Amino acid sequence: MTIEKTALLPVSADEAFALITQPDRLRRWLAISARVDLRAGGEFRWTLTPMAVAAGTVTEVDPGRRIVLGFGLEQSGRPRTDTVTITIEPAEGGTLVRLIHQGLPEDQVQDVLEGWTHFFQRLERAAVTGDAGPDEWAAAPADLNPLTSANATLAVLQHVLRGISEDDLSKSTPCTDFTVSQLEGHLLGSLSSLTSLAGSTLVPASASDLESRIAGAAQQAMETWMKRGIEGTVQAGPQELPATIAASILSVEFLVHAWDFASATGQKVAVSDEVATYVLGLAEQIITPEQRERVGFDPAIPISGNAPAMDRLVAFTGRAT
């Protein structure tokens, strides 16, 4: 079966094409993380929500005019032969983007139509404002586990990072002795180590902006962990760790450092209570009293049990709210 969506965007055809093909643009409206090899035969992978990943092959590319994708959902558990064709046409008032999704199983039509309707509304908003803002579909996954939580907190972090300019890199952060730039280096180092624990090697991004550099590294870490899963153990130097504990570090790193970056640059962290509460529980498993100093956290700061979950998480990691 086939569905169709259109959007009239008040931008040029080249900008509209960038919005639907470039990872840094896709993160503004469609995906938490995105990888696109923009050539016929290239692969793409979009983490649409913490629980949904679209992946497949680019079958045709006509830059500025058309892209055709062999499209499937990783979590569906069954082969898919969908084809998504997106065309770009100049129109009065801007550029018309038309999406045709063919080959859908009948029982998937309504869900897929709802999804494209949601994301095309965000595409229209991103075309006007440059960023559609936090996506409510990424805010509180129905099934919270270390990997869906990591995707949800990555979305939170990236929204904060988009508000940071190169002029902010020298600003102090709540992390002792870390500027924004130094905190970036710390987070990239953590992502490299966590990617290694899951069995891969992180390739540093050469992007010119902070958000893209961290997003590129985080995408590699998440893709590696989602492929590996959280069963069994991983080897951390001489120590074996449960994989579920190692993967849980991602959420703590993403959300706590989102707060650090936001505090340094006068921003607020937009996170659901469900996710913040879940990450607090992960932090309590990871940051045990005997490990607190070794892993670089200051003593916990007393706080009311009735305080918001994000405040309790921050206080638990030794930061004053």
Side-chain angles (χ1 to χ4, degrees):
M1 300 190 71
T2 300
I3 61 174
E4 182 174 340
K5 293 297 298 182
T6 60
L8 179 62
L9 308 183
V11 298
S12 69
D14 286 344
E15 177 60 20
F17 191 74
L19 279 165
I20 64 172
T21 58
Q22 298 301 317
D24 63 328
R25 302 293 202 279
L26 290 165
R27 292 194 300 272
R28 268 65 174 172
W29 66 276
L30 177 70
I32 297 171
S33 59
R35 171 168 58 81
V36 183
D37 183 359
L38 194 58
R39 61 183 177 84
E43 294 183 348
F44 75 94
R45 188 178 187 275
W46 305 332
T47 303
L48 302 172
T49 73
M51 298 174 63
V53 176
T57 304
V58 178
T59 59
E60 296 179 34
V61 182
D62 186 355
R65 296 183 179 183
R66 168 183 165 98
I67 183 169
V68 182
L69 307 172
F71 188 93
L73 293 175
E74 284 190 354
Q75 73 279 12
S76 67
R78 59 184 179 182
R80 293 277 289 270
T81 57
D82 306 16
T83 299
V84 171
T85 302
I86 305 175
T87 55
I88 306 285
E89 302 173 10
E92 185 176 352
T95 300
L96 186 68
V97 176
R98 175 178 287 108
L99 176 144
I100 299 174
H101 193 148
Q102 299 171 289
L104 279 165
E106 186 173 356
D107 63 349
Q108 297 292 310
V109 170
Q110 190 56 44
D111 287 344
V112 173
L113 177 59
E114 181 183 359
W116 283 125
T117 298
H118 170 78
F119 287 119
F120 261 50
Q121 289 171 349
R122 290 179 52 79
L123 171 61
E124 292 170 339
R125 194 152 67 244
V128 172
T129 65
D131 191 331
D135 185 357
E136 63 270 26
W137 282 17
D143 176 21
L144 270 169
N145 61 56
L147 297 182
T148 59
S149 170
N151 277 326
T153 52
L154 175 57
V156 172
L157 170 64
Q158 289 176 164
H159 182 69
V160 171
L161 296 177
R162 286 176 209 137
I164 298 177
S165 71
E166 296 300 297
D167 292 338
D168 293 321
L169 295 182
S170 62
K171 291 181 177 178
S172 298
T173 73
C175 292
T176 306
D177 299 327
F178 276 11
T179 63
V180 169
S181 179
Q182 290 166 332
L183 183 57
E184 174 194 357
H186 162 79
L187 181 53
L188 290 174
S190 295
L191 289 171
S192 179
S193 297
L194 289 166
T195 303
S196 178
L197 287 181
S200 187
T201 300
L202 190 147
V203 179
S206 58
S208 60
D209 63 283
L210 172 62
E211 189 265 344
S212 292
R213 291 191 294 269
I214 290 181
Q219 179 272 325
Q220 294 176 62
M222 286 306 308
E223 189 167 339
T224 301
W225 271 102
M226 291 176 77
K227 182 177 180 180
R228 184 206 181 279
I230 55 176
E231 299 78 21
T233 61
V234 295
Q235 196 70 35
Q239 181 183 13
E240 271 196 348
L241 288 177
T244 185
I245 293 295
S248 297
I249 298 171
L250 288 161
S251 295
V252 178
E253 290 277 342
F254 290 152
L255 189 52
V256 172
H257 290 322
W259 187 88
D260 291 330
F261 283 118
S263 297
T265 55
Q267 300 184 71
K268 298 291 185 182
V269 172
V271 61
S272 67
D273 284 342
E274 296 94 328
V275 168
T277 299
Y278 182 79
V279 176
L280 174 58
L282 298 180
E284 290 170 344
Q285 296 178 55
I286 296 166
I287 309 169
T288 59
E290 60 273 17
Q291 291 181 324
R292 178 174 286 274
E293 184 174 351
R294 185 175 67 82
V295 298
F297 289 98
D298 292 332
I301 294 174
I303 190 171
S304 169
N306 295 323
M310 188 66 206
D311 289 351
R312 287 184 282 125
L313 171 63
V314 168
F316 179 74
T317 63
R319 292 155 168 82
T321 59

